[in-house]
């Protein structure tokens, strides 16, 4: 049970980073800067999640 919780926390930042990459790709392909804002947001979320995880 404890291992699955750890895997969930580890996969959270990967999910945020994947969303960030997907949105930045959409931003470039569709030439829509609104997707870039989402990409930046999810990138920051990924960084904050990893920092919070490593701080504990």
């Amino acid at each position: 049970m404890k291992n699955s919780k750890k895997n969930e926390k580890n996969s959270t930042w990967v999910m945020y980073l994947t969303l960030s990459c997907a949105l930045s790709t959409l931003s470039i392909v569709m030439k829509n800067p609104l997707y870039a804002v989402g990409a930046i947001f999810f990138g920051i979320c990924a960084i904050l999640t990893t920092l919070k995880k490593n701080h504990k």
Side-chain angles (χ1 to χ4, degrees):
M1 182 72 175
K2 196 172 189 179
N3 247 356
S4 66
K5 277 282 191 196
K6 187 176 180 182
N7 287 341
E8 284 178 23
K9 287 183 181 178
N10 286 344
S11 65
T12 304
W13 72 271
V14 175
M15 178 189 66
Y16 286 143
L17 198 60
T18 304
L19 282 170
S20 175
C21 291
L23 285 176
S24 62
T25 303
L26 272 176
S27 171
I28 292 168
V29 170
M30 299 179 81
K31 296 182 176 73
N32 188 346
L34 195 59
Y35 290 115
V37 173
I40 292 169
F41 172 74
F42 283 117
I44 290 171
C45 285
I47 292 169
L48 291 177
T49 304
T50 55
L51 288 176
K52 193 186 303 183
K53 183 188 75 153
N54 289 337
H55 181 62
K56 288 183 178 180

